[in-house]
Amino acid sequence: MSDSALKDLNLAQSAELEKTKDSSAKSCITKPVLNGNKCNNTEENAPPVLPDAVTNGCEAGNADVEYIDSGSLTDLEDAGATLSTLVARLDSKDWVMTCEALNNVRQLAIFHKDRLQELLEPLVPLIVKSVKNPRSAVCKTALMTCADIFKAYGDLMVDSIDPLLVQLFLKSSQDKRFVCEAAEAALISMTSWIAPSALLPKMQPYLKNRNPRIRAKASMCFSKSVPRLGVEGIKEYGMDKLVQIAATQLSDQLPESREAARKLALELQAFYEKSQASSSGEVDDAPATSPDADADAGAESWEAFCQSKLSPLSAQAILRVTSTTKEGVAVGVTSTPPKEGVTVGC
């Protein structure tokens, strides 16, 4: 083959390679955009549906998805028509349609709460399915949906919350920050709008989960939720039960769990001492009887309480924490329980 012919062949191959690269790059850039309740694709220019796996080094469809804050959502033009197809669209294999349906759930929860409530039972498993979806766009939209339905339905979600809890704990501890933040927002909404007396028993089993990350997130949520019970609520839930939980978590392998247990122990000590002081005040106001009766009515110290409810080693661990860091008790302990819910870091 002559040098001229060989040179022409190399030029042709180079041109073909450049053309292939351009085409590959375009497939990463051209993606459907979720804008509110509509996808901006048209039949004429819509790219082919790409698989869930990463394509050409880009995670298809995630970068251009618009995530709408709850306050920016608008009402639906035809709520009845949306409701009639909602379940089918949530279960669709088309991820764009699924995201649209999830946003519709959010709209319905805000603007048509009563009508959506009838569908909650079949909807929750589909929302859980979307939270578990490997495509980040679907996962994050589903987590935003969780936050909105917790706010809309509050305690009505208690019976349906079990399959959601483990996913929220997992997603709030994963490496993708924008998914982690959405899961945290859902946890904050959950702990803000669901009564702690109903929520704490649901979270308690996860404190012993085999996955240390789940234990850590559950511990953080649990310890932050306890103060919302108030003094009387803690008495009803069981101070002895709560201090045993704190003692167990103090020996967890993850520092996040141990720190949550430390804060819980301090909260419990503050509540206990406030409760005892209140009881002492009532005794002081009562008519005096005999010295022996007054001695029997005296308040039991925090140390004595821990030693009576815990094993020697556990009591020692709790007392070490509460005696050395007593000044670290949150200022809000003796005030009205907070409304903001739980803040957990990624």
Side-chain angles (χ1 to χ4, degrees):
M1 182 180 291
S2 66
D3 292 341
S4 177
L6 183 59
K7 183 177 180 181
D8 291 342
L9 179 60
N10 287 338
L11 288 173
Q13 291 176 338
S14 298
E16 183 66 24
L17 180 60
E18 289 299 321
K19 183 177 179 181
T20 302
K21 287 181 178 179
D22 291 342
S23 175
S24 175
K26 288 179 181 178
S27 68
C28 277
I29 297 170
T30 307
K31 299 164 187 167
V33 179
L34 290 182
N35 183 13
N37 308 315
K38 300 179 181 179
C39 179
N40 287 340
N41 285 339
T42 61
E43 292 182 1
E44 291 78 15
N45 60 14
V49 177
L50 298 175
D52 283 349
V54 174
T55 304
N56 295 322
C58 298
E59 189 173 347
N62 288 356
D64 293 334
V65 171
E66 182 180 356
Y67 303 105
I68 309 170
D69 292 334
S70 301
S72 300
L73 288 169
T74 58
D75 198 358
L76 293 159
E77 293 182 3
D78 189 344
T82 301
L83 280 165
S84 66
T85 62
L86 191 59
V87 173
R89 289 185 293 119
L90 280 174
D91 203 25
S92 172
K93 293 182 180 180
D94 181 345
W95 71 272
V96 174
M97 182 178 292
T98 300
C99 286
E100 288 179 344
L102 287 166
N103 278 326
N104 289 159
V105 173
R106 300 173 65 202
Q107 291 170 294
L108 289 163
I110 294 171
F111 298 104
H112 303 276
K113 174 181 173 180
D114 293 337
R115 297 181 69 178
L116 182 64
Q117 184 175 338
E118 301 174 1
L119 285 177
L120 276 182
E121 186 175 346
L123 284 183
V124 170
L126 295 174
I127 294 172
V128 173
K129 179 182 177 181
S130 293
V131 171
K132 296 165 68 174
N133 194 299
R135 188 182 289 278
S136 299
V138 178
C139 176
K140 176 166 181 174
T141 307
L143 290 168
M144 296 172 76
T145 303
C146 290
D148 287 331
I149 62 175
F150 287 147
K151 182 176 180 179
Y153 297 106
D155 292 352
L156 294 176
M157 292 296 300
V158 169
D159 293 336
S160 306
I161 207 170
D162 286 326
L164 280 172
L165 270 177
V166 65
Q167 292 302 319
L168 292 178
F169 291 145
L170 279 173
K171 298 300 181 181
S172 64
S173 62
Q174 71 159 249
D175 295 331
K176 286 188 178 179
R177 187 164 186 83
F178 76 108
V179 172
C180 173
E181 290 172 349
E184 289 179 353
L187 286 173
I188 292 171
S189 178
M190 176 187 74
T191 55
S192 297
W193 299 103
I194 298 179
S197 58
L199 186 59
L200 288 174
K202 294 288 186 180
M203 291 195 291
Q204 188 171 336
Y206 295 99
L207 300 175
K208 298 180 180 180
N209 194 280
R210 289 181 297 177
N211 186 322
R213 288 191 173 188
I214 291 178
R215 287 202 309 273
K217 289 298 180 180
S219 296
M220 294 167 71
C221 290
F222 193 94
S223 68
K224 290 283 188 176
S225 297
V226 167
R228 295 185 60 235
L229 285 170
V231 174
E232 293 304 318
I234 286 180
K235 287 181 179 179
E236 292 177 8
Y237 195 86
M239 175 68 79
D240 53 344
K241 182 192 301 184
L242 291 170
V243 77
Q244 287 166 6
I245 290 172
T248 300
Q249 297 304 109
L250 277 175
S251 61
D252 194 87
Q253 70 183 84
L254 286 188
E256 293 91 339
S257 295
R258 297 195 297 272
E259 177 63 15
R262 185 188 71 84
K263 292 179 179 179
L264 176 58
L266 290 169
E267 296 280 5
L268 293 175
Q269 180 190 28
F271 274 111
Y272 182 82
E273 292 178 348
K274 180 181 178 180
S275 174
Q276 293 299 93
S278 176
S279 299
S280 297
E282 293 176 1
V283 171
D284 291 340
D285 293 338
T289 53
S290 65
D292 291 339
D294 289 340
D296 292 339
E300 182 183 28
S301 69
W302 170 248
E303 180 178 358
F305 172 78
C306 291
Q307 290 173 342
S308 66
K309 302 297 181 182
L310 302 170
S311 67
L313 287 177
S314 295
Q316 184 180 13
I318 289 288
L319 292 172
R320 185 186 303 117
V321 166
T322 54
S323 61
T324 58
T325 56
K326 185 175 180 179
E327 294 180 357
V329 179
V331 175
V333 162
T334 58
S335 61
T336 302
K339 185 71 176 175
E340 304 84 44
V342 177
T343 302
V344 286
C346 288

